[in-house]
Amino acid sequence: MRRVISFDWGKWDKGRKLEKKDPSGLGLLTLLKLMTARVRADRFYEGALHSAMENGVMLGILKAIRLRVAESRGP
């Protein structure tokens, strides 16, 4: 499974809004986009990834991804 999604993350305005909300209800593709956008942003804005780790954004995204993957595998 690809974990980094190729898309125009810089123009993905929806992602900026979604990042501020609880990610647990989001789909796997959206979660992977959120993670990709934050990792890519760090290349241009040093500290973006560190900030997302410190404030819990990345942890929330990673937990939600783990949940979606587990759901897709079934019981």
Side-chain angles (χ1 to χ4, degrees):
M1 175 198 309
R2 291 181 53 191
R3 301 219 181 7
V4 177
I5 304 299
S6 179
F7 71 106
D8 192 354
W9 63 272
K11 292 184 179 178
W12 191 49
D13 292 332
K14 181 179 178 182
R16 288 188 251 300
K17 295 172 188 168
L18 289 175
E19 194 174 75
K20 296 175 183 165
K21 297 182 179 185
D22 177 14
S24 62
L26 300 175
L28 184 57
L29 180 61
T30 301
L31 291 164
L32 293 174
K33 283 183 174 182
L34 283 172
M35 186 173 67
T36 299
R38 185 52 82 143
V39 170
R40 295 293 301 147
D42 192 67
R43 179 166 183 215
F44 300 98
Y45 309 106
E46 187 175 336
L49 187 56
H50 184 273
S51 173
M53 289 181 184
E54 277 194 335
N55 66 21
V57 168
M58 285 301 287
L59 181 59
I61 292 169
L62 291 169
K63 284 181 176 181
I65 288 171
R66 181 177 63 188
L67 180 64
R68 293 292 165 263
V69 169
E71 289 173 350
S72 71
R73 290 184 180 157

